[in-house]
Amino acid sequence: RHLDKKNLTKNVCPHCIRKEYYFDRAFSPCSFEGPIQELIHEFKYNGKDYLAKPLSRLLLNFIGEYRVPVEFMDMIVPVPLHQARLRERQFNQAALLSRYISEAFSRDQAEDILVRNRSTKTQADLTIAERLANVQGSFSTKENAPIQGKNILLIDDVLTTGATASEASCALKKAGANIVFVLTLAN
């Protein structure tokens, strides 16, 4: 799944090409293993929100090195947490990461456009089929959100099966988004 820096249009994962997603492209600088897995776990589950800055630096370096076309994105949208999960964690890890990206590229961070309608089980312990069913229909956009014709960079921490990113992208596309790219720390 490594990217060819010289020809980004050919960078399609052979495993993913057989699947249908609502997002247009997804990018991740790391594989979800070893030290990055441990860092994301500490960041996400153990309240170490100070890791947002160095982890977002990985995203920023990746964007620059692989020329991820952030300059064509109109807004940056973090994958939202349900209110119950947000109370539990005290912060949304995707929102913290997206703040650094939006600041670095002078793009609007649209933290309030996408809404998680219902609390879902944590995806980590579910099978692929269970993950798809778990998140189906769990996202919507706020009424009158300025999404029509916009290109959106959707930010999350991990892309495993693509179920969450696809469902979030589905809601954005139904609201009129033109292009939705996904950027995560790891896959």
Side-chain angles (χ1 to χ4, degrees):
R1 294 209 208 174
H2 294 283
L3 299 177
D4 177 0
K5 290 181 192 178
K6 294 179 181 160
N7 194 350
L8 292 179
T9 58
K10 289 187 176 182
N11 287 323
V12 179
C13 166
H15 174 74
C16 300
I17 203 163
R18 288 176 248 140
K19 297 182 180 177
E20 289 188 34
Y21 297 109
Y22 286 100
F23 53 82
D24 297 283
R25 294 291 305 266
F27 303 92
S28 301
C30 304
S31 293
F32 191 58
E33 59 191 16
I36 194 69
Q37 182 177 7
E38 292 173 31
L39 283 170
I40 292 171
H41 188 272
E42 291 296 312
F43 175 46
K44 189 172 179 174
Y45 299 115
N46 292 332
K48 296 186 178 174
D49 60 345
Y50 60 85
L51 290 172
K53 189 171 186 174
L55 289 172
S56 65
R57 176 58 55 214
L58 286 172
L59 293 173
L60 290 167
N61 290 342
F62 178 79
I63 289 167
E65 189 172 346
Y66 287 93
R67 299 184 317 276
V68 177
V70 176
E71 68 273 11
F72 297 109
M73 299 293 108
D74 297 303
M75 63 181 69
I76 297 176
V77 176
V79 171
L81 294 176
H82 186 267
Q83 288 299 332
R85 183 83 32 88
L86 185 58
R87 278 191 301 275
E88 178 185 310
R89 288 197 190 149
Q90 301 293 310
F91 64 92
N92 176 353
Q93 70 280 357
L96 293 180
L97 294 170
S98 69
R99 278 187 202 132
Y100 288 103
I101 306 304
S102 63
E103 286 172 12
F105 291 95
S106 299
R107 295 289 179 262
D108 289 334
Q109 181 193 22
E111 206 172 328
D112 59 345
I113 284 181
L114 190 60
V115 178
R116 193 178 286 247
N117 301 321
R118 60 185 171 80
S119 184
T120 54
K121 296 178 188 174
T122 300
Q123 296 277 81
D125 300 323
L126 303 178
T127 66
I128 292 172
E130 290 170 334
R131 285 172 186 233
L132 293 169
N134 186 43
V135 295
Q136 189 171 18
S138 62
F139 295 98
S140 66
T141 57
K142 286 206 174 169
E143 204 171 314
N144 300 320
I147 298 173
Q148 187 67 39
K150 301 291 186 187
N151 297 329
I152 296 172
L153 181 62
L154 185 66
I155 305 287
D156 206 359
D157 54 352
V158 178
L159 183 114
T160 307
T161 62
T164 301
S166 189
E167 277 300 310
S169 298
C170 178
L172 293 167
K173 293 266 180 131
K174 282 181 180 176
N178 181 39
I179 291 173
V180 178
F181 283 171
V182 177
L183 178 64
T184 62
L185 285 166
N187 67 5

